[in-house]
Amino acid sequence: MAAQDGSEVAGMEAEVTQKVPEVPCEAAGQEDAARTEQASLTDGESTSAQPAAVSNGEESEEGKEMVEVKIIWNKNKYDLKIPLDGTGAKLKEKIHTLTGLPPAMQKVMYKGLLPEDKTLREIKVTNGAKIMVVGSTINDVLAVNTPKEVIQQEVKAEENKKEPLCRQKQHRKVLDKGKPEDVMPSIKGAKERLPTVPLSGMYNKSGGKVRLTFKLEQDQLWIGTKERTEKIPMGSIKNVVTEPIEGHEDYHMMAFQLGPTEASQYWVYWVPTQFVDAIKDTVLGKWQYF
């Protein structure tokens, strides 16, 4: 009986020994589950905090003074609302979102080339303003094989072989008439955007009065004389040739190449020097990135 009792006692001890570890393992499992659930809840709370930051950003933008403009690109029009104190660079980012056109490929024009470092307030953008964008996406560039760059290089090479343009006989007969009395004032050494009014008081190759009007909304250059006005798509202009007039370096003679050869050049004389770069940027903006 003693041995039997001993074996029973030993069996009971073994049974107790086996059962004792099960209790802490179960408790540990519950504790781990509780920790996992708590971590999940904590992650959920931190995740839900992120949209709040985005929402706050939108609210702060809405609190700013806004201006509504119309973006015109590739015959498409987009309505855009943007902070008036946003810079030209920020505007390019918005245009990228609307059109897919990268900022580096954009030429944005509002009364001339729009500066990236100035705010829309500084350049006096108003509600309803039309902002012209020229440029092509990378895919468009790869898909189009244009000879314009080759033409430009050939024209420049040909010019280097010749004497100064203002000394050539075909131009002297116009320049010898002297500076027109009603030509627009020039500012030597300055660079300005295109004026909101036509450039007037200049001569064409026949010695008649001519004016230039840049219709950015229509992507056209209007060349007006007393007899008629020609509306030329800017994309059809192959090149622009300019040269200061000797003795009057604050004025330039300028030619718009409307076809593949020099015979298609339309000459304009006594262009104020401060507008020369703005004219070239505007007219050649469609393809100078190619």
Side-chain angles (χ1 to χ4, degrees), residues 44-157:
E45 290 174 359
S46 63
T47 302
S48 64
Q50 293 177 359
V54 175
S55 176
N56 288 338
E58 292 177 355
E59 291 174 1
S60 63
E61 182 175 286
E62 290 178 357
K64 297 179 180 178
E65 185 177 356
M66 310 292 284
V67 63
E68 296 182 0
V69 298
K70 188 175 293 292
I71 305 298
I72 303 174
W73 173 71
N74 200 21
K75 297 183 179 179
N76 296 317
K77 297 181 180 180
Y78 305 86
D79 292 322
L80 177 63
K81 193 173 183 180
I82 188 171
L84 190 57
D85 290 315
T87 61
K90 289 292 184 182
L91 176 60
K92 283 192 170 185
E93 292 176 6
K94 295 286 188 181
I95 293 173
H96 182 201
T97 302
L98 288 173
T99 65
L101 184 64
M105 302 290 286
Q106 298 175 21
K107 258 207 175 310
V108 182
M109 288 176 288
Y110 177 74
K111 299 179 181 179
L113 192 63
L114 186 139
E116 293 189 5
D117 57 341
K118 291 188 177 182
T119 66
L120 304 188
R121 187 189 300 275
E122 289 176 321
I123 59 178
K124 299 180 180 179
V125 175
T126 58
N127 277 318
K130 295 180 180 180
I131 296 179
M132 186 75 184
V133 180
V134 294
S136 299
T137 63
I138 295 176
N139 290 337
D140 292 336
V141 173
L142 295 176
V144 176
N145 181 19
T146 174
K148 291 183 177 179
E149 185 175 3
V150 176
I151 293 174
Q152 184 190 32
Q153 292 173 352
E154 292 176 351
V155 169
K156 287 184 177 180

Side-chain angles (χ1 to χ4, degrees), residues 163-198:
E163 62 181 335
L165 294 171
C166 60
R167 296 182 185 176
Q168 295 178 19
K169 184 177 179 180
Q170 60 174 326
H171 302 301
R172 288 293 350 150
K173 64 181 182 180
V174 179
L175 295 175
D176 287 344
K177 295 177 63 175
K179 183 172 65 175
E181 294 181 357
D182 57 345
V183 71
M184 296 181 70
S186 65
I187 306 175
K188 189 175 182 179
K191 293 183 180 180
E192 295 185 2
R193 301 177 195 163
L194 293 176
T196 56
V197 297

